[in-house]
Amino acid sequence: MKKIALLGVTALAIVSLTACSSGNSSATKSSGKATTSTSSSKKETAKATAKWDDATKTFTSKVGILKIDGVEKTTDYDSKPSIKVNFTLTNKQDKAENVQTLVMSMMKVQQKTANTTNDLEYAILMNDSENHLQDNLNPNGTISGSYSYVLDTETDPIQIHFMENMFSEPVATYEVSL
């Protein structure tokens, strides 16, 4: 009896999934437009809303606008070679956001060596009080600041990857030679 009930529930689940699947395809046929799966649609939407402008060094996404004002070599408090990425950031969200969290959700910095590509770690600089990373940026507010990273090597290029959010795939890359 339990086997028959289990078989019935399984059959009902398959019929439900089939109905949902065929419902999507009939909607596609009636509209005359070809569509892709939901995950593909989300990726296409992310690419459509997030863009990199190489001429102005500006990345625009649904959460903010991040302009790279420059990248300069420096050293951290322990005299390790580092870089400072200077930026101008605008918060496009409807609530105040922490500057560091917003920057980290929009960009990831890596260094590409001959054999590896590594995420760079945050660098603590001796005189970095104007980085504004601990500030909260109001909706539609704009602030200039900097984010520092410890380098793996002093000569290999840096890649700044821009993302729609902290966990998404990069939608653009800006390479900086040292």
Side-chain angles (χ1 to χ4, degrees), residues 43 46 108 161-172:
K43 286 181 185 177
K108 173 173 62 172
H161 299 285
F162 297 98
M163 306 162 301
E164 184 70 29
N165 63 57
M166 192 176 293
F167 304 107
S168 67
E169 292 294 318
V171 295

Side-chain angles (χ1 to χ4, degrees), residues 140-161:
N140 299 313
T142 300
I143 196 166
S144 291
S146 63
Y147 207 110
S148 302
Y149 300 89
V150 177
L151 294 172
D152 285 343
T153 73
E154 292 188 56
T155 57
D156 290 313
I158 302 301
Q159 294 179 333
I160 302 175
H161 299 285

